[in-house]
């Protein structure tokens, strides 16, 4: 069966992240992906969960406590400023973004193209070779089309000698369905 | 590691085709995909290998003999006429197309959009629910752009209640790299 968007995002991370890795959830939202990363890196691994909204940090923290997961640290700030929180020798084993707005929250607080591409470039610097940044691109909301175009333009220009960039999405669905962009830092 | 185009095509078929199935290679070419299908359906399964060119049928037949595979039948005709060769009760477990021209042959003999969409529609009629048609779309050659657009337009209009249509491809590569379209007949 063809994998849906969220399944495919998790499949890509599961195939590439190893136990013990340090990973990033750049938009932790309701904590779903943070919990997933927390499990696949295991007790010796680490997840950095970032979100600009207090509500998201609180929801994610609670979700993790409920599942007895304690290998996560939190950054409440824009992911465009991630660099100041990451030790310069850190090697990142994988990262995920959900672009759009936090479900059940203020739809005026959305990720935007410029900060998203800044965050992508920061994480690419820290990313291990052969590993992935996975972006789940929601773009049906106001501002979503613009962010989608900014991000697509940026990743399409990543040098093919250094990166593989894949797009995966359903092309016969109505209402601007989300799609995946996956960026692999080549070996 | 992100799967390349051919690996991803085979991965999708491997995940969906079962031993004992009847499958179709709608453009058998040099026999690479026919051999792959022959292996995954096993000795109780069957592959229908179709190509309009004698050279492709010969190459595929030879490839299979070299690998001691005898579960394949051949149709030398346009895949747009597949219907006359398939028993009306046959259920197809999966199919693959390589769109473009036969490597190392006459580049004027290419698949074209109209016959490709006819063949897709015929196979969809025979396809089991939950199974896939996988298209590897080469489009850098003269006529390739036109075929790509015809096929994309057709599959994007397949009703989302009946089919899932996924596109997978590298978006930061030069020279019109091939990409995948996968069509799943919903359960």
């Amino acid at each position: 069966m063809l994998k849906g968007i969220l399944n495919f995002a998790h499949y890509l991370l599961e195939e590439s992240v190893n136990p013990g890795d340090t990973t990033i959830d750049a938009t932790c939202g309701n904590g779903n992906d943070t919990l997933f990363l927390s499990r696949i890196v295991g007790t010796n691994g680490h997840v950095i969960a970032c979100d600009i909204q207090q509500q998201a940090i609180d929801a994610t923290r609670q979700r993790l406590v409920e599942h007895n997961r304690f290998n996560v640290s939190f950054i409440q700030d824009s992911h465009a400023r991630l660099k100041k929180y990451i030790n310069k020798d850190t090697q990142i084993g994988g990262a995920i973004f959900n672009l759009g707005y936090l479900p059940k929250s203020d739809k005026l607080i959305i990720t935007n193209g410029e900060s998203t591409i800044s965050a992508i470039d920061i994480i690419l610097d820290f990313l291990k070779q052969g590993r992935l940044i996975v972006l789940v691109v929601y773009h049906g909301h106001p501002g979503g089309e613009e962010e989608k175009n900014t991000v697509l333009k940026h990743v399409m220009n990543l040098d093919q000698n250094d990166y593989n960039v894949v797009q995966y999405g359903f092309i016969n669905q109505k209402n601007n369905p989300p799609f995946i962009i996956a960026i692999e830092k080549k070996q």
Side-chain angles (χ1 to χ4, degrees), chain A residues 68-87:
Chain A
N68 289 307
R69 306 297 315 174
F70 304 102
N71 57 352
V72 178
S73 57
F74 292 89
I75 298 169
Q76 190 191 340
D77 199 346
S78 165
H79 47 220
R81 286 185 288 272
L82 262 175
K83 194 173 180 177
K84 54 176 200 173
Y85 301 96
I86 305 178
N87 187 300

Side-chain angles (χ1 to χ4, degrees), chain A residues 8 34 44 49 60 64 70 73 77 96 121 125 144 183:
Chain A
F8 194 68
T34 305
N44 294 322
T60 300
L64 290 160
F70 304 102
S73 57
D77 199 346
I96 189 162
D121 287 348
D125 274 347
I183 307 167

Side-chain angles (χ1 to χ4, degrees), chain A residues 93-187:
Chain A
I96 189 162
F97 288 70
N98 276 275
L99 306 186
Y101 57 84
L102 177 62
K104 299 177 195 163
S105 81
D106 184 350
K107 292 188 184 172
L108 293 177
I109 305 178
I110 57 173
T111 54
N112 78 71
E114 291 308 319
S115 63
T116 299
I117 65 177
S118 297
I120 290 171
D121 287 348
I122 291 166
I123 298 175
L124 285 179
D125 274 347
F126 289 96
L127 196 67
K128 290 182 184 178
Q129 291 184 342
R131 302 306 183 86
L132 305 180
I133 299 177
V134 176
L135 300 111
V136 183
V137 186
Y138 294 86
H139 55 101
H141 56 286
E145 180 77 6
E146 197 183 335
E147 177 176 34
K148 179 188 84 170
N149 292 335
T150 303
V151 172
L152 272 176
K153 186 178 167 194
H154 186 69
V155 301
M156 287 168 81
N157 282 318
L158 288 172
D159 190 327
Q160 73 180 92
N161 293 308
D162 301 323
Y163 301 100
N164 288 316
V165 184
V166 151
Q167 183 171 358
Y168 175 95
F170 291 85
I171 58 173
N172 70 325
Q173 294 180 352
K174 290 175 185 162
N175 301 324
N176 308 304
F179 62 89
I180 302 272
I181 297 169
I183 307 167
E184 177 184 35
K185 190 173 188 170
K186 285 179 141 177
Q187 306 263 4

